[in-house]
C-alpha cells in the first residue's frame, strides 16, 4: 500500500525566481535628498523611464513628454484635396437586353395600381394593453405574494373592490404558507368574481376553486399526499431529510469543538515562541 506521503513527494511547490535583483540607490544619496542627484549610466537608460522614476533618479514631478517625442508622429493633420467629378473615370458599360412586352398598357395599369396608405392607429400604452389582455394571475411562492406587472394590472382593473380582493389574497398567503405549498397560481378574475360584492369571510374552498394548478396544490392542502400511491416514497423522503439534517448538525457541532481546541493549542504555541525569542 502507498503511504500518505506518496502524494506529497509527487508534487513539489515551484520556487519563484526573480528576473533581476532590485537596484537601490546608494546610501549617501538616500540620506541626503537635497544633494546632487546620482549620475545616470547607459545601463539605467536601457532599463527604461519607469525604472528611473521608481529608483528616484528622475523626480516624480518632471514632465516626461519630450522623452517620448522621437521623429515625426505616425499621423498628421492636413486639409483633404477634393477632386472634380469630371476627372473620375467613366463607369463600365453594362449590356442590358431589352425584351418587348406584348400586353397592352391597360393590363399594366391593373398590375401596377397605386397603393393608398391609410393612417395607422396610434399605439396603445403598455398599461392599457396589460389591463385589456392580461389573464391577471396571482402568483404565491412559499406563502408570499409575488408582485409582478400582471399583478399591478390586476390591482388597477379591480381597484373599486380591492379591499375584498386584498383580504382574500392575505388569507390565501396564510393558507398556502401553513401547508408548505411551494408555488400556487390563482386566477385573479375568478377570485374577484367570487369575493367582490359578498359580505362574508373568505373560506378555504374559495381559494381552492380559483387555483390554476389545482392538481399540485389541492393534495398538499387537504393532506392527501401521504395517502396516495406514492405515500411510502414521500414518507421515506421526509424521514431521510430529517435524519440527514440531524447528522449534519451533529457533525458541525463536533467541528466547532475541534476548532476551539485548535485555537487553544495555537495560542499556547505562540506564547512558547515568544519566550524563546
Amino acid at each position: 500500500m502507498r503511504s500518505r506521503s506518496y502524494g506529497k513527494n509527487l508534487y513539489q511547490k515551484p520556487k519563484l525566481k526573480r528576473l533581476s535583483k532590485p537596484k537601490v540607490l546608494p546610501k549617501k544619496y538616500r540620506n541626503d535628498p537635497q544633494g546632487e542627484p546620482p549620475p545616470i549610466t547607459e545601463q539605467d537608460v536601457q532599463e527604461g523611464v519607469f525604472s528611473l522614476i521608481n529608483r528616484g533618479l528622475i523626480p516624480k514631478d518632471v514632465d516626461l513628454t519630450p522623452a517620448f517625442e522621437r521623429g515625426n508622429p505616425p499621423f498628421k493633420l492636413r486639409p483633404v484635396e477634393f477632386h472634380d467629378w469630371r476627372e473620375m473615370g467613366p463607369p463600365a458599360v453594362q449590356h442590358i437586353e431589352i425584351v418587348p412586352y406584348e400586353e397592352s398598357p391597360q393590363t399594366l395599369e391593373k398590375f401596377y395600381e397605386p397603393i393608398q396608405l391609410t393612417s395607422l392607429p396610434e399605439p396603445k400604452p403598455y398599461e392599457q394593453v396589460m389591463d385589456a389582455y392580461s389573464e391577471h394571475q396571482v402568483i404565491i411562492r412559499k406563502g408570499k405574494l409575488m408582485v409582478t406587472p400582471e399583478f399591478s394590472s390586476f390591482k388597477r382593473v379591480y381597484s373599486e373592490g380591492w379591499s375584498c380582493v386584498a383580504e382574500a389574497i392575505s388569507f390565501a398567503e396564510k393558507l398556502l404558507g401553513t401547508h408548505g405549498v411551494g408555488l400556487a397560481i390563482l386566477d385573479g378574475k375568478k377570485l374577484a368574481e367570487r369575493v367582490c360584492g359578498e359580505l362574508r369571510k373568505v373560506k378555504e374552498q374559495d381559494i381552492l376553486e380559483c387555483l390554476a394548478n389545482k392538481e399540485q396544490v389541492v393534495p398538499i392542502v387537504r393532506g392527501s399526499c401521504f395517502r396516495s400511491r406514492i405515500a411510502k416514497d414521500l414518507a421515506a423522503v421526509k424521514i431521510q431529510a430529517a435524519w440527514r439534517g440531524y447528522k449534519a448538525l451533529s457533525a458541525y457541532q463536533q467541528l466547532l469543538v475541534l476548532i476551539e481546541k485548535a485555537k487553544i493549542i495555537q495560542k499556547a504555541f505562540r506564547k512558547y515562541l515568544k519566550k524563546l525569542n
Side-chain angles (χ1 to χ4, degrees):
M1 293 180 66
R2 295 176 178 176
S3 61
R4 293 184 178 179
S5 61
Y6 176 75
K8 296 181 180 179
N9 295 332
L10 290 179
Y11 175 75
Q12 293 181 357
K13 188 176 181 182
K15 296 181 180 180
L16 299 177
K17 295 182 180 180
R18 291 184 176 178
L19 298 177
S20 62
K21 294 183 180 180
K23 296 180 180 181
V24 186
L25 285 176
K27 191 173 183 181
K28 60 179 181 179
Y29 296 112
R30 286 187 278 120
N31 294 338
D32 188 12
Q34 301 297 333
E36 295 182 0
I40 300 175
T41 61
E42 185 66 26
Q43 185 178 358
D44 297 334
V45 174
Q46 292 179 359
E47 290 180 358
V49 180
F50 187 70
S51 175
L52 295 175
I53 295 173
N54 286 338
R55 293 175 58 193
L57 296 175
I58 298 178
K60 295 184 178 180
D61 55 351
V62 174
D63 186 13
L64 299 175
T65 305
F68 296 99
E69 294 179 354
R70 295 180 181 178
N72 296 327
F75 297 100
K76 290 184 178 180
L77 296 176
R78 65 176 184 179
V80 180
E81 183 180 359
F82 288 93
H83 299 275
D84 191 11
W85 63 273
R86 298 180 186 86
E87 299 177 3
M88 299 174 61
V93 179
Q94 297 180 357
H95 298 282
I96 302 173
E97 185 180 357
I98 301 174
V99 179
Y101 189 71
E102 298 178 357
E103 297 292 336
S104 62
Q106 296 179 356
T107 56
L108 292 174
E109 292 179 359
K110 293 180 181 180
F111 285 110
Y112 299 100
E113 293 180 356
I115 300 173
Q116 297 179 358
L117 297 176
T118 58
S119 59
L120 298 175
E122 295 183 358
K124 297 181 180 179
Y126 174 73
E127 295 181 354
Q128 187 176 354
V129 174
M130 284 289 294
D131 297 345
Y133 300 103
S134 176
E135 295 182 359
H136 294 156
Q137 291 183 343
V138 181
I139 300 174
I140 299 176
R141 186 184 295 274
K142 295 182 179 180
K144 292 184 180 180
L145 175 66
M146 305 293 292
V147 181
T148 59
E150 194 170 3
F151 176 76
S152 302
S153 173
F154 173 61
K155 191 174 182 179
R156 287 193 301 270
V157 173
Y158 296 96
S159 58
E160 295 181 358
W162 183 250
S163 59
C164 300
V165 178
E167 184 181 354
I169 291 174
S170 62
F171 177 78
E173 287 180 339
K174 293 179 182 177
L175 175 66
L176 300 171
T178 52
H179 290 280
V181 179
L183 178 64
I185 301 173
L186 293 171
D187 190 346
K189 296 179 181 179
K190 285 185 180 180
L191 183 66
E193 290 175 0
R194 293 180 69 93
V195 172
C196 292
E198 295 186 7
L199 299 176
R200 62 180 181 84
K201 290 185 178 182
V202 182
K203 297 181 180 180
E204 179 180 325
Q205 187 63 27
D206 297 331
I207 304 299
L208 297 180
E209 288 294 331
C210 299
L211 286 169
N213 55 343
K214 292 181 182 179
E215 298 177 357
Q216 292 83 16
V217 179
V218 173
I220 299 174
V221 173
R222 292 182 174 175
S224 61
C225 59
F226 291 107
R227 293 195 293 269
S228 60
R229 289 179 294 177
I230 58 172
K232 292 183 179 180
D233 296 338
L234 295 175
V237 169
K238 288 287 184 182
I239 295 169
Q240 289 173 2
W243 176 250
R244 286 171 184 160
Y246 167 74
K247 293 294 290 182
L249 180 61
S250 60
Y252 177 68
Q253 290 175 349
Q254 292 177 5
L255 180 62
L256 291 179
V257 174
L258 294 176
I259 290 172
E260 291 297 328
K261 292 180 180 180
K263 287 180 179 179
I264 295 171
I265 296 171
Q266 291 173 359
K267 189 175 180 181
F269 187 69
R270 290 193 187 102
K271 288 182 178 179
Y272 173 72
L273 290 178
K274 285 182 180 181
K275 289 181 179 179
L276 292 179
N277 296 332

